[in-house]
Amino acid sequence: MKKIFIVAICALLVILGITGNMTGEVVAAEEVNKITVMGTGEVRFLPDVAVVSVGVETLNESLTQAQSENSQKINALISYLKDIGVQEENIKTRNFYVYQRYDYSQGEKLLGYQVNNYLDFKTKDVDNVGNIVSSLMENGANRFTGISFTIDNYEEGYRSALNLALENATKKAQALTEKPIISSEIVEEGNYCFTSRELCSVNMDSSIMKGEICIKASVRVQFEY
């Protein structure tokens, strides 16, 4: 009896379906058009951080003396940096190594032991960085390997570039259709940063170049309309 009841219900549903189709009503899905465009954004900032690399190289026939001399000079550099306001956490040892140095023009003559110690430090005194480097050289540094300029809050700058990239993509899409559009997919394509160089600081001993920090972002956006 239960099986007969289930069969009867199924038959009724089939009849109702046929009756509905006999009315001639057709429900069609609204057509959705899609368009994909690329957007780019760029922001520029004056650098507020300089990363400086300096070092001390010492050579002595005695390994102990070479290490002691090097240590004294490095400590003097670190002391100077702290005196001018560089925080200890912003001073890092980049490279330290010791090796035997030979003069191969005279066979294989041992000249002594060379100790190399290089420091990287960050400072926000970007306008005075040329003078800082000169003072470091006067205080014992005998190697200067470069300066790079950046901004302290890169992530905030990149988010601004991303927002501009999305705005750029939206304007492109709106130029291609007069219909209302809505973004359905956003893909981050990439980012990069570079510095446009300009002369910023000159003193008796050095000329340091800095410029604007340029951060670029790009997105691929799919719009529906």
Side-chain angles (χ1 to χ4, degrees), residues 89-168:
E89 60 267 23
N90 290 328
I91 306 172
K92 307 292 183 183
T93 298
R94 178 165 53 90
N95 286 312
F96 176 83
Y97 49 93
V98 181
Y99 63 93
Q100 291 177 319
R101 185 171 167 182
Y102 291 88
D103 182 358
Y104 293 99
S105 67
Q106 302 181 35
E108 193 174 338
K109 180 181 178 182
L110 177 64
L111 297 178
Y113 295 89
Q114 181 154 331
V115 180
N116 295 353
N117 197 343
Y118 290 88
L119 297 176
D120 286 349
F121 68 91
K122 292 195 302 183
T123 175
K124 290 193 173 184
D125 192 5
V126 294
D127 293 327
N128 194 41
V129 69
N131 292 324
I132 294 175
V133 172
S134 295
S135 295
L136 288 169
M137 303 301 285
E138 293 170 359
N139 279 274
N142 55 13
R143 291 293 182 271
F144 168 60
T145 57
I147 299 175
S148 61
F149 294 97
T150 185
I151 59 174
D152 194 37
N153 196 340
Y154 176 85
E155 289 300 324
E156 182 178 341
Y158 181 58
R159 285 194 295 270
S160 297
L162 276 177
N163 288 332
L164 291 176
L166 182 57
E167 291 178 12
N168 179 248

Side-chain angles (χ1 to χ4, degrees), residues 20-21 23-29:
N21 288 337
T23 63
E25 294 178 358
V26 178
V27 179

Side-chain angles (χ1 to χ4, degrees), residues 36-55:
T36 301
V37 297
M38 294 291 297
T40 58
E42 176 183 314
V43 292
R44 291 175 178 267
F45 300 91
L46 290 176
D48 58 10
V49 173
V51 181
V52 184
S53 299
V54 295

Side-chain angles (χ1 to χ4, degrees), residues 15-35:
I15 294 172
L16 290 175
I18 296 174
T19 303
N21 288 337
M22 291 176 62
T23 63
E25 294 178 358
V26 178
V27 179
E30 183 180 353
E31 183 179 358
V32 176
N33 295 314
K34 297 181 180 181
I35 186 173

Side-chain angles (χ1 to χ4, degrees), residues 194-223:
F194 65 90
T195 306
S196 58
R197 298 293 183 185
E198 296 175 358
L199 184 63
C200 85
S201 177
V202 180
N203 62 20
M204 293 295 291
D205 303 312
S206 61
S207 297
I208 305 300
M209 305 290 287
K210 79 170 183 180
E212 292 183 322
I213 303 298
C214 180
I215 302 174
K216 288 191 173 183
S218 60
V219 293
R220 174 167 48 85
V221 187
Q222 183 182 85
F223 293 93

